[in-house]
């Protein structure tokens, strides 16, 4: 690059310092030679100067005085600011400052000093190509070029890392100061006694509470032996405890009794070994908490506990007597209850037996009459037609079936209901039963109305027992409609249950009859056991069954069974 130093115009595009500043150095050397009586010549050619300046990490740039245009830009400047030499040469230095104000202000500050002293040094903020700012140390020196042209040679050193380190150090120092202040505040305001004693039993430090309690001068306590503050017995115990900590080189806790103006006080002393920078144990820090009141309270509590224990023993003895009396009363009551249950059981057996005898007596009488008639026919004493004999046999078989059904129902009532639960599809179950029962209902003039959704959640049930329940409800509904009618079946979900409803348009159930009780029935023919069995099966499934009825209008039985997800599917 060639430069007219007089006009400040830049020709070419070189960033070589030898090309840029050769005239400057030549002029400077001539002036220096004239001013000195004798001089030692240093051979500096352009290549050497170029290698020197471009090898530095600092940014070095030459700026024309007055126009502030950049005429030299070394490799350090390229690395620091992110601009190549050809991008900045001939431009003003405004490009490296954060804003116009900074650009103008540094000129106002530096120019008078450089004119007077020839150089200026300060700390300033600069801007890189990417827009980031950084602090730097800057030194500007004025040199003269050819034909009297003046230039600044500016050396800029990035100190961002140093600033960060200084900031971190300052922050750490501030933090340490705060910690020291807080620690001192804790030491001065705590109610605990704190002292540091050397391994030979001399005070190094005491806190304000310690100084106030024993009327000591904290700064003057350093080097004072413990036995100069406490009596020999107390001091010996404290020194012995400190020695145990030194020997064990670990934190330990002791109970120490220290005399004070108002008497003896008991302290819990936590003693901590202290080490210097070299890892050598040099002292013990003792932190003591006054537990005198606590000890007194403990003694009071211990006395109260002893008195309480005596009371408890006495009360326990009395309670044992009362418990024995209560136990005897419970035994007597249980015996009375058992006797009552036996009486009630006998009464129930008597009632049940009477009803069972009544239910069995009628078919047995009919069977006896049929057998006698058949006997007469066989002996030839009575003339009978074939039709009469066949009718008698049919009646006999019907009564036998009635007795068998009665015995089966009674067995269902008498024996526990063992269920084998598994997921059951209620729609499939109802559909299977209707396929079997629908033909006989049709011959009796009974129409079936179904109101089922497309699908229902599975219920937890025993399929065999549930078939027994539904068939019994269907049978009762059909028997309530001897002249025919409508059997309605409805199914839906209600929260965690599936609801099944069986409705008939029959004679209804009279008031005052609980059809779920044993032997309770509104039918002229029937054992009164079927619905009792139905209730027990439904209850064993964790469900409920209820009914509503109106005379000559019909009856609806509502059956609610839990979803399969609500019960554990295990045999019951």
């Amino acid at each position: 690059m060639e430069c007219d130093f007089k006009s400040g115009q830049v020709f070419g595009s070189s960033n070589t310092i030898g090309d840029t500043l050769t005239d400057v150095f030549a002029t400077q050397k001539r002036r220096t030679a004239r001013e000195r009586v004798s001089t030692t010549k240093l051979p500096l050619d352009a290549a050497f100067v170029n290698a020197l300046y471009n090898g530095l990490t600092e940014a070095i740039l030459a700026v024309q005085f007055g126009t502030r245009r950049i005429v030299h830009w070394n490799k350090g400047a390229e690395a620091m600011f992110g601009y190549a030499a050809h991008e900045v040469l001939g431009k003003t230095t405004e490009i490296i400052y954060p804003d116009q104000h900074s650009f103008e202000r540094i000129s106002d500050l530096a120019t008078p000093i450089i004119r007077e002293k020839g150089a200026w040094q300060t700390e300033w903020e600069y801007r890189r190509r990417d827009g980031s700012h950084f602090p730097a140390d800057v030194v500007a020196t004025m040199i003269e070029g050819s034909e009297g042209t003046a230039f600044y040679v500016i050396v800029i050193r990035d100190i961002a890392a140093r600033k960060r380190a200084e900031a971190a150090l300052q922050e750490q120092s501030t933090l340490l100061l705060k910690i020291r202040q807080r620690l001192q505040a804790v030491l001065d305001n705590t109610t605990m006694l704190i002292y540091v004693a050397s391994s030979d039993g001399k005070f190094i430090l005491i806190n304000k509470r310690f100084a106030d309690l024993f009327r000591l001068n904290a700064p003057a306590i350093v080097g004072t032996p413990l036995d100069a503050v406490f009596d020999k017995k107390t001091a010996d115990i404290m020194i012995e405890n400190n020695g145990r900590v030194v020997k064990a080189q670990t934190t330990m806790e002791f109970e120490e009794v220290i005399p004070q103006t108002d008497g003896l006080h008991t302290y819990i002393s936590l003693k901590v070994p202290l080490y210097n920078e070299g890892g050598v144990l040099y002292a013990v820090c003792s932190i003591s908490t006054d537990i005198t009141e606590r000890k007194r309270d403990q003694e009071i509590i211990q006395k109260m506990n002893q008195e309480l224990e005596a009371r408890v023993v006495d009360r326990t003895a009395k309670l044992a007597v009362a418990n024995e009396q209560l136990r005897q009363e419970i035994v007597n009551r249980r015996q009375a209850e058992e006797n009552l249950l036996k009486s009630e059981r006998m009464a129930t057996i008597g009632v049940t037996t009477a009803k069972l005898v009544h239910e069995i007596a009628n078919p047995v009488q009919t069977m006896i009459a049929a057998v006698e008639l058949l006997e007469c026919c066989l002996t030839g004493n009575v003339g009978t037609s074939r039709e009469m004999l066949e009718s008698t046999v049919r009646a006999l078989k019907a009564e036998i079936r009635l007795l068998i059904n009665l015995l089966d129902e009674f067995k269902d009532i008498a024996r526990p209901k063992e269920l084998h639960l598994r997921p059951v599809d209620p729609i499939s179950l109802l559909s299977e039963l209707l396929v079997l029962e629908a033909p006989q209902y049709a011959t009796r003039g009974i129409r079936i109305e179904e109101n089922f959704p497309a699908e229902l959640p599975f219920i937890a049930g025993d399929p065999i027992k549930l078939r027994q329940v539904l068939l019994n409800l269907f049978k009762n509904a059909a028997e309530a409609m001897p002249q025919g009618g409508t059997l309605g079946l409805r199914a839906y979900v209600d929260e965690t249950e599936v609801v099944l409803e069986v409705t008939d348009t029959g004679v209804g159930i009279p008031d005052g009859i609980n059809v779920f009780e044993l032997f309770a029935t509104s039918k002229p023919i029937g054992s009164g056991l079927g619905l009792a069995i139905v209730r027990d099966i439904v209850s064993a499934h964790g469900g409920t069954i209820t009914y509503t009825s109106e005379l000559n209008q019909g009856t609806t039985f509502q059956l609610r069974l839990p979803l399969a997800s609500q019960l554990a599917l295990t045999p019951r």
Side-chain angles (χ1 to χ4, degrees):
M1 179 190 71
E2 297 179 0
C3 176
D4 183 342
F5 292 108
K6 183 175 183 179
S7 64
Q9 298 299 315
V10 179
F11 308 102
S13 57
S14 171
N15 68 336
T16 304
I17 191 169
D19 294 342
T20 306
L21 297 181
T22 302
D23 291 340
V24 175
F25 285 120
T27 303
Q28 185 70 20
K29 287 168 67 177
R30 286 193 296 271
R31 186 178 70 247
T32 302
R34 287 195 302 268
E35 293 174 351
R36 292 181 180 178
V37 177
S38 63
T39 181
T40 301
K41 294 183 180 180
L42 180 64
L44 293 176
D45 58 18
F48 174 78
V49 174
N50 184 61
L52 174 64
Y53 279 84
N54 281 324
L56 297 176
T57 59
E58 289 85 354
I60 301 178
L61 53 152
V63 179
Q64 188 177 37
F65 188 79
T67 65
R68 301 180 67 183
R69 294 183 182 279
I70 300 170
V71 297
H72 168 68
W73 189 259
N74 77 334
K75 296 294 184 180
E78 288 185 356
M80 186 176 296
F81 288 96
Y83 293 104
H86 69 273
E87 294 179 292
V88 297
L89 293 176
K91 296 182 180 179
T92 67
T93 55
E94 182 180 354
I95 195 172
I96 63 173
Y97 292 103
D99 50 43
Q100 180 67 26
H101 174 74
S102 177
F103 171 66
E104 294 175 353
R105 179 167 172 73
I106 194 170
S107 178
D108 294 340
L109 292 174
T111 301
I113 297 175
I114 293 176
R115 285 182 182 277
E116 179 183 354
K117 299 181 178 181
W120 178 73
Q121 181 177 4
T122 190
E123 184 179 304
W124 206 259
E125 185 177 20
Y126 290 90
R127 181 184 66 194
R128 295 186 177 90
R129 181 173 191 163
D130 62 9
S132 61
H133 296 186
F134 66 96
D137 281 337
V138 55
V139 177
T141 304
M142 179 179 285
I143 60 176
E144 293 181 1
S146 60
E147 301 182 8
T149 305
F151 294 86
Y152 296 127
V153 175
I154 303 173
V155 180
I156 301 172
R157 179 182 296 109
D158 187 344
I159 60 171
R162 189 186 77 192
K163 285 289 187 180
R164 288 193 296 271
E166 289 175 352
L169 181 62
Q170 180 62 35
E171 182 179 357
Q172 185 177 16
S173 299
T174 303
L175 179 60
L176 290 175
L177 178 60
K178 289 181 179 178
I179 293 173
R180 188 179 297 110
Q181 291 172 342
R182 291 171 183 171
L183 179 60
Q184 189 63 47
V186 170
L187 291 176
D188 289 342
N189 292 284
T190 182
T191 58
M192 295 183 291
L193 298 181
I194 301 176
Y195 73 86
V196 176
S198 61
S199 55
D200 60 355
K202 295 181 180 179
F203 285 108
I204 297 175
L205 174 146
I206 60 175
N207 71 333
K208 186 176 184 300
R209 173 65 176 167
F210 197 104
D212 292 345
L213 189 61
F214 298 104
R215 300 177 182 177
L216 300 172
N217 184 346
I221 197 68
V222 178
T224 303
L226 270 68
D227 56 12
V229 176
F230 302 107
D231 63 88
K232 188 175 186 310
K233 180 179 178 181
T234 302
D236 287 346
I237 293 174
M238 297 171 72
I239 292 171
E240 180 184 354
N241 291 340
N242 291 347
R244 292 172 62 184
V245 173
V246 171
K247 183 177 179 180
Q249 296 189 3
T250 187
T251 300
M252 303 178 72
E253 188 176 87
F254 303 92
E255 185 174 302
E256 297 177 330
V257 178
I258 301 176
Q260 295 177 198
T261 55
D262 60 346
L264 296 177
H265 282 243
T266 303
Y267 286 85
I268 286 292
S269 298
L270 183 70
K271 297 181 181 288
V272 182
L274 301 180
Y275 299 86
N276 61 19
E277 295 82 354
V280 178
L281 193 155
Y282 73 96
V284 173
C285 176
S286 178
I287 306 170
S288 303
T289 303
D290 193 338
I291 61 168
T292 305
E293 294 298 326
R294 189 195 309 171
K295 292 282 286 186
R296 291 172 185 167
D297 292 342
Q298 287 176 349
E299 292 173 358
I300 294 172
I301 291 172
Q302 184 177 4
K303 184 178 179 181
M304 293 175 64
N305 285 340
Q306 292 173 349
E307 294 176 355
L308 182 60
E309 287 175 0
R311 292 179 184 178
V312 168
V313 171
D314 180 61
R315 187 65 59 85
T316 301
K318 293 179 180 179
L319 187 60
V321 174
N323 285 340
E324 178 59 26
Q325 294 174 350
L326 180 60
R327 189 190 65 79
Q328 190 60 45
E329 290 178 3
I330 291 172
V331 170
N332 295 337
R333 182 174 297 178
R334 283 179 179 172
Q335 290 177 349
E337 289 175 351
E338 289 177 0
N339 293 334
L340 180 60
L341 288 173
K342 288 179 181 178
S343 299
E344 291 178 351
R345 191 179 300 114
M346 293 302 296
T348 302
I349 291 173
V351 172
T352 303
T353 302
K355 288 190 174 287
L356 185 60
V357 168
H358 178 269
E359 293 294 333
I360 293 175
N362 289 333
V364 168
Q365 290 295 334
T366 303
M367 291 169 64
I368 290 173
V371 170
E372 288 177 348
L373 178 61
L374 291 174
E375 185 179 20
C376 290
C377 292
L378 291 174
T379 58
N381 296 331
V382 178
T384 56
S385 64
R386 181 178 180 84
E387 289 80 6
M388 180 180 293
L389 290 175
E390 291 177 350
S391 176
T392 301
V393 171
R394 284 197 298 271
L396 182 60
K397 291 172 65 177
E399 295 299 330
I400 291 172
R401 283 196 297 271
L402 181 62
L403 281 176
I404 292 173
N405 289 337
L406 179 62
L407 291 175
D408 287 341
E409 290 178 344
F410 195 76
K411 283 191 293 184
D412 284 337
I413 290 292
R415 67 190 176 193
K417 305 294 183 297
E418 183 177 351
L419 302 181
H420 297 278
L421 299 179
R422 65 181 180 84
V424 177
D425 182 358
I427 300 297
S428 296
L429 181 62
L430 287 169
S431 299
E432 291 174 6
L433 295 177
L434 289 177
V435 169
L436 296 175
E437 300 296 321
Q440 62 167 316
Y441 294 157
T443 61
R444 298 164 64 177
I446 297 174
R447 186 170 58 89
I448 299 175
E449 288 185 355
E450 301 178 15
N451 184 7
F452 303 153
E455 60 182 19
L456 282 174
F458 281 33
I459 57 177
D462 184 328
I464 295 175
K465 296 297 184 182
L466 291 178
R467 285 191 182 93
Q468 183 179 354
V469 167
L470 293 173
L471 285 173
N472 202 306
L473 294 178
F474 293 172
K475 174 176 172 292
N476 286 347
E479 290 175 351
M481 300 181 289
Q483 306 303 321
T486 301
L487 174 63
L489 301 177
R490 183 182 177 213
Y492 58 91
V493 177
D494 185 12
E495 295 183 353
T496 60
E497 296 175 318
V498 168
V499 181
L500 305 177
E501 293 181 353
V502 179
T503 302
D504 65 63
T505 57
V507 296
I509 300 173
D511 293 338
I513 296 179
N514 183 359
V515 295
F516 296 123
E517 290 184 357
L518 289 174
F519 305 110
T521 180
S522 61
K523 297 182 292 185
I525 299 177
S527 65
L529 298 177
L531 289 176
I533 295 171
V534 166
R535 179 195 59 188
D536 289 349
I537 293 175
V538 172
S539 178
H541 278 78
T544 59
I545 184 169
T546 58
Y547 70 90
T548 57
S549 183
E550 188 175 350
L551 286 177
N552 300 318
Q553 297 296 320
T555 302
T556 297
F557 281 88
Q558 186 182 79
L559 176 63
R560 289 178 171 269
L561 293 169
L563 299 179
S565 60
Q566 302 299 310
L567 293 179
L569 301 181
T570 55
R572 300 174 59 177

